Amino acid sequence: MMLNWLQIHMDVTSLLWLLPVFFMFHDFEEILTVEAWGNKYGPAITSSLSPSLQKRLAPMMGMTTRNFAMDVLFVYILIVGVTFVAVFLEFYWLYLAVLAVFLLHVFTHLAQSIVLRLYTPGVVTAVLVALPYSIYAFYRLLYENVVSEADIGWSVLLMLILTPLLVWGMMKNRTRHNRS
C-alpha cells in the first residue's frame, strides 16, 4: 500500500533528489553529536585498542564538529554532483555507487553500536532514514526500468574501487587537520 502511494505521488526525479536531502538529514545527526560523543567515549574506546589501531582511529575519536562538517560538505558536494549527472545526463552508475555506499553505511553504524553497546552518532537516522530510502530507491529505479541489474553490478564495482580512495583521502585530511 505504501509503495503504491509513493509510486503515484513521487516521480523518479524527486526520488533521485532525495538522496542529497536524506544524506544531509542523516549527517546532521552526526554533526550535532560527533564531538561530544568523541569527548565522552573516545578515550575509553581508544585505550581498549591495539597501538596500531589507536594511531589509525585517533583522528576520528578527536573529531571536532567543524572538521566533521567540512568532511560532510565535501561528500555533500559530491552527492549533489552525482545526482545532477543522474537527473540531467541520465548517467546512473555514479549515483548507484553513492546510493550503495549510503546503504552499506547503515551497517557500519549498526555494527559500531552493537560492538560498543551504546549509541553512536548517526545510528538513529541510518536505520530510520538511510536504510528505508536506499532500499526503496534501488527497488524503484529497477521497477521503473531506469536502471538494470547490470547497472547496479557495475556501479557496485565502481564503488569498491572509488570508496577506498575517497576514505583514504578524508582520513589523510583529518590527520593533517588534527596536527594544526
Side-chain angles (χ1 to χ4, degrees):
M1 184 160 44
M2 180 64 148
L3 293 179
N4 289 337
W5 187 90
L6 287 171
Q7 288 170 326
I8 292 168
H9 292 90
M10 182 178 10
D11 63 9
V12 171
T13 300
S14 297
L15 175 75
L16 294 170
W17 280 114
L18 281 174
L19 178 58
V21 172
F22 287 154
F23 168 81
M24 279 312 303
F25 189 76
H26 165 66
D27 270 56
F28 280 142
E29 178 189 1
E30 291 179 301
I31 289 169
L32 294 172
T33 59
V34 71
E35 187 170 356
W37 187 91
N39 290 338
K40 183 174 182 179
Y41 297 108
I45 292 168
T46 304
S47 68
S48 70
L49 302 172
S50 70
S52 70
L53 276 177
Q54 284 180 8
K55 184 178 179 183
R56 287 188 199 141
L57 296 179
M60 286 188 278
M61 291 301 164
M63 181 63 66
T64 65
T65 300
R66 181 184 182 279
N67 287 349
F68 188 79
M70 293 304 294
D71 286 349
V72 169
L73 176 62
F74 169 75
V75 175
Y76 182 72
I77 290 168
L78 176 73
I79 290 173
V80 169
V82 163
T83 303
F84 183 91
V85 168
V87 170
F88 294 105
L89 303 180
E90 297 181 358
F91 179 74
Y92 299 100
W93 284 11
L94 294 171
Y95 182 90
L96 293 170
V98 169
L99 184 61
V101 170
F102 196 50
L103 175 59
L104 293 175
H105 184 64
V106 170
F107 299 101
T108 62
H109 281 290
L110 285 172
Q112 290 167 352
S113 289
I114 290 167
V115 167
L116 297 173
R117 294 186 178 108
L118 53 90
Y119 166 83
T120 56
V123 71
V124 173
T125 53
V127 172
L128 297 179
V129 176
L131 182 63
Y133 168 75
S134 300
I135 291 170
Y136 178 71
F138 276 118
Y139 160 78
R140 180 76 181 274
L141 292 171
L142 283 167
Y143 178 82
E144 300 277 343
N145 294 314
V146 174
V147 301
S148 67
E149 291 172 1
D151 292 328
I152 292 173
W154 285 110
S155 69
V156 168
L157 180 62
L158 186 63
M159 173 202 67
L160 293 173
I161 294 167
L162 294 179
T163 300
L165 295 171
L166 291 169
V167 170
W168 177 79
M170 285 176 39
M171 293 299 290
K172 192 155 185 69
N173 189 43
R174 285 179 184 172
T175 304
R176 187 175 62 237
H177 283 304
N178 283 353
R179 284 190 214 141
S180 50

